[in-house]
Amino acid sequence: MSSQKPRIIPWLISQIDSKTYPGLEWVNSEHTQFRVPWKHASRHDQSSDDFKIFENTLFEELDHLNLYQGEGELFLPREHVQGIEGGMEPNAEVFAEHTFYSNVTIPEAHLDGATAVPVFQEEHVQTQPVQELESLQHKILKHFSYNSFETDFEVKIFYRGKLVQTTTVTNPNGFYITAEQQPGHVGYLDRVYLPQPALVVTDQLLVEAVDQLLTKLKEGTVVEVREGAIGAKRLGHCRSYWSMTNAPKTNTPNKIDKTEYLVLYSIQQFIAELIEFVEHRRKESPQYSIWICIGEQWPDEKSWQKKCIMVQVIPVVMRFLHELSYSTGASSLNNSEINLEISDSLSSTSNLMSLLRSIEDMMH
């Protein structure tokens, strides 16, 4: 057995202890289980922190080495390194949404400062019994009915590209994007308040520009679920524009109307596109994040990071189903209700297609 090849586990333990990487941490007091932040590259809400540790030069070095597992020590297989670096482990057995769990058993000699190498053991997800699978599918399907669906929304506010606020809306009917404070508001729709710029950014020119927009916003823009579709309408004096991506291929502004309710995206369209993607009849996975620009024409020649106010709307149920198509593990349909761990049985193509076809049938 060669002892010159780099061993990833001692290095990884030192990185966990250093607390250098956001989210890389021990999850038990014995320091035998750890968590690594991770998101698939197709996710529309990823940030640099979600794969920061994989940019380390050690991972780049490991990528071209023939590593192997010997007795009592781990040399990470080439396909594992490539899978981690690329965003998804090939067998999808130990990855969960934004999280990768493993067990590390550390010999006493290692704890005493010796050079012994810890043993690495993957924690495999067991196949679910049929009853559990049916129960899980039932929990998912109850969010859908004839020509309608229920979802939470994750709403992210950006001031000139800087994330300044993240809000979870649990009202399935939708919400207002507004600056008008109404303490104790109870109504058909929730209210997502844009933060005062002076509290979240230091650029004084940006503070003044956002303040001017907020004074005109009034009731703002409403995002509402109707008849199986997510739509929008402008209510205030501040114009708003939208796209299904933050990098649209067109420079033609896409306005949200003030007089008529505009359908932005439907669950029927999403399910149809997702089925095509799973069946390899579509190269790109469907977009599910809705991007709204407040107070400036968009899309145009400027990047979204140059706009004063951008709002990203993520329908949680669509994100959940999108992640199922990648078999990435645990996720959440409803942030306040369900936290489901997806096993190999549900994430198999046949079971996933059965679930998607059931949802599709319920939409008609």
Side-chain angles (χ1 to χ4, degrees), residues 28-40:
N28 63 352
S29 58
E30 296 80 14
H31 286 192
T32 58
Q33 192 177 62
F34 61 89
R35 180 176 66 187
V36 180
W38 174 87
K39 286 186 183 178
H40 193 276

Side-chain angles (χ1 to χ4, degrees), residues 151-180:
T151 183
D152 287 354
F153 293 93
E154 186 174 305
V155 184
K156 296 185 177 184
I157 311 297
F158 299 85
Y159 287 168
R160 197 161 288 167
K162 177 185 177 182
L163 178 62
V164 295
Q165 179 177 290
T166 300
T167 303
T168 298
V169 175
T170 58
N171 186 337
N173 300 313
F175 54 93
Y176 296 95
I177 302 171
T178 181
E180 284 196 335

Side-chain angles (χ1 to χ4, degrees), residues 35-254:
R35 180 176 66 187
V36 180
W38 174 87
K39 286 186 183 178
H40 193 276
S42 67
R43 291 263 314 227
H44 305 137
D45 60 341
Q46 63 170 301
S47 68
S48 59
D49 284 347
D50 297 321
F51 44 81
K52 185 175 180 181
I53 190 172
F54 302 113
E55 296 175 346
N56 189 286
T57 54
L58 179 56
F59 275 88
E60 296 175 2
E61 294 171 2
L62 289 173
D63 184 43
H64 66 271
L65 294 174
N66 258 333
L67 305 181
Y68 62 95
Q69 184 173 351
E71 182 180 356
E73 55 189 358
L74 174 86
F75 293 97
L76 201 62
R78 180 182 176 86
E79 63 268 24
H80 279 219
V81 175
Q82 291 176 328
I84 292 174
E85 188 176 20
M88 185 166 65
E89 198 272 338
N91 293 327
E93 291 178 317
V94 293
F95 282 95
E97 180 215 357
H98 204 194
T99 308
F100 165 63
Y101 287 97
S102 292
N103 284 335
V104 181
T105 302
I106 307 176
E108 292 184 6
H110 180 79
L111 297 176
D112 292 337
T115 57
V117 181
V119 176
F120 177 88
Q121 298 174 324
E122 292 182 350
E123 187 176 46
H124 295 278
V125 179
Q126 300 298 317
T127 302
Q128 288 180 326
V130 174
Q131 297 91 334
E132 282 189 42
L133 177 60
E134 292 177 349
S135 175
L136 180 58
Q137 290 176 332
H138 175 73
K139 289 179 181 179
I140 297 172
L141 290 175
K142 76 176 185 178
H143 288 259
F144 302 88
S145 58
Y146 173 71
N147 204 30
S148 67
F149 72 104
E150 293 185 352
T151 183
D152 287 354
F153 293 93
E154 186 174 305
V155 184
K156 296 185 177 184
I157 311 297
F158 299 85
Y159 287 168
R160 197 161 288 167
K162 177 185 177 182
L163 178 62
V164 295
Q165 179 177 290
T166 300
T167 303
T168 298
V169 175
T170 58
N171 186 337
N173 300 313
F175 54 93
Y176 296 95
I177 302 171
T178 181
E180 284 196 335
Q181 296 286 335
Q182 291 188 8
H185 167 80
V186 177
Y188 179 71
L189 301 176
D190 277 8
R191 303 174 75 85
V192 174
Y193 298 109
L194 300 182
Q196 292 300 311
L199 301 178
V200 292
V201 295
T202 57
D203 184 336
Q204 288 305 307
L205 291 178
L206 178 58
V207 169
E208 293 175 7
V210 173
D211 272 334
Q212 289 181 4
L213 293 176
L214 295 187
T215 57
K216 299 177 182 179
L217 194 59
K218 302 299 181 182
E219 281 295 312
T221 296
V222 61
V223 177
E224 186 177 353
V225 177
R226 293 185 187 179
E227 299 180 348
I230 300 172
K233 184 178 179 180
R234 176 169 68 93
L235 302 180
H237 302 299
C238 199
R239 293 182 179 179
S240 53
Y241 300 80
W242 75 284
S243 176
M244 288 301 299
T245 172
N246 61 356
K249 297 179 181 179
T250 177
N251 287 336
T252 303
N254 202 13

